[in-house]
């Protein structure tokens, strides 16, 4: 029997139909990764680390039995299916979809391909605001602080606002 783990993902997009990009990603995650349990509000944020269009960012809670490496490869496949093109540039750029693994249960992981918890999440309000919305009391496994406190302690001064639109949680067919 495979162990189900609560996993938190960050999704962002600033190209094309941003709502559709996020909704399509949610459906593919539900189909290929695990059950999407919670979806945050949509947060509009300026591009971070480069000049570009505003992003729509969300966090989702997913229950999955995938190992961390299979999870990572499956999410990269989803990004590719949705039209993500990775350039050889080091640094940030416009993207149709970006999916990052923030937390996998209470695991702490450092490998060549994956760091969990996400190494930059505590410095990014566009990650912490939606995560604190859906998991305010979730503890950061290294900092040993609840997400709501991590957000309060975040030094990122970027302007973020909630978009008055909702994404649909996939419905299980039984």
């Amino acid at each position: 029997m495979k162990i189900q783990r609560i996993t938190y993902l960050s999704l962002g997009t600033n190209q094309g139909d941003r709502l559709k990009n996020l909704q399509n990603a949610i459906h593919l995650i539900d189909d290929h990764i695990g059950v999407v349990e919670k979806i945050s509000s949509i947060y509009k944020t300026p591009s971070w680390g480069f000049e570009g269009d505003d992003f729509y960012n969300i966090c989702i809670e997913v229950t999955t039995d995938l190992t961390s490496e299979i999870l990572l490869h499956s999410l990269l496949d989803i990004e590719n299916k949705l039209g993500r093109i990775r350039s050889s540039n080091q640094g940030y750029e416009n993207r149709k979809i970006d999916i990052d693994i923030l937390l996998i249960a209470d695991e702490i992981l450092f490998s060549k391909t994956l760091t969990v918890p996400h190494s930059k999440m505590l410095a990014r309000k566009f990650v912490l605001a939606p995560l604190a919305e859906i998991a305010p009391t979730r503890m950061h496994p290294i900092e040993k602080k609840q997400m709501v406190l991590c957000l309060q302690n975040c030094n990122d001064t970027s302007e973020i606002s909630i978009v008055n639109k909702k994404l649909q949680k996939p419905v299980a067919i039984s």
Side-chain angles (χ1 to χ4, degrees):
M1 182 173 152
K2 293 187 177 184
I3 297 172
Q4 297 286 329
R5 297 177 301 169
I6 300 293
T7 301
Y8 292 93
L9 305 175
S10 173
L11 287 72
T13 175
N14 77 332
Q15 288 183 320
D17 186 336
R18 295 173 293 178
L19 281 174
K20 185 177 177 183
N21 295 344
L22 292 172
Q23 190 65 66
N24 288 341
I26 288 167
H27 284 296
L28 287 171
I29 289 167
D30 194 72
D31 289 344
H32 300 285
I33 304 296
V35 177
V36 175
E37 305 285 355
K38 294 180 183 175
I39 303 171
S40 74
S41 299
I42 303 166
Y43 289 79
K44 182 179 173 186
T45 63
S47 58
W48 206 83
F50 72 101
E51 290 295 322
D53 294 332
D54 289 342
F55 275 80
Y56 279 8
N57 290 287
I58 64 169
C59 283
I60 62 174
E61 178 184 295
V62 180
T63 303
T64 185
D65 63 5
L66 299 181
T67 66
S68 57
E69 289 299 319
I70 293 173
L71 173 63
L72 176 61
H73 291 296
S74 298
L75 292 172
L76 291 173
D77 286 344
I78 289 171
E79 287 181 344
N80 287 337
K81 283 180 186 167
L82 293 174
R84 169 93 187 252
I85 298 168
R86 292 183 185 275
S87 75
S88 58
N89 292 343
Q90 298 292 350
Y92 302 106
E93 58 191 2
N94 293 307
R95 57 203 59 177
K96 192 164 180 186
I97 193 71
D98 183 41
I99 306 171
D100 288 330
I101 301 169
L102 302 177
L103 300 166
I104 301 173
D106 294 323
E107 290 183 26
I108 299 172
L109 239 158
F110 297 99
S111 75
K112 288 181 181 177
T113 57
L114 183 62
T115 300
V116 176
H118 191 285
S119 63
K120 297 176 183 155
M121 68 183 277
L122 295 175
R124 297 175 173 174
K125 195 162 48 170
F126 68 85
V127 171
L128 289 174
L131 182 58
E133 176 190 327
I134 63 171
T137 60
R138 185 74 182 198
M139 296 293 272
H140 188 283
I142 295 173
E143 293 293 313
K144 304 294 186 209
K145 291 181 183 167
Q146 294 180 339
M147 288 304 138
V148 69
L149 291 174
C150 292
L151 175 59
Q152 289 171 3
N153 294 328
C154 182
N155 292 325
D156 180 1
T157 58
S158 301
E159 290 294 318
I160 64 172
S161 59
I162 293 180
V163 175
N164 192 19
K165 296 183 190 282
K166 294 282 181 206
L167 295 164
Q168 299 300 311
K169 194 169 128 182
V171 178
I173 299 171
S174 45

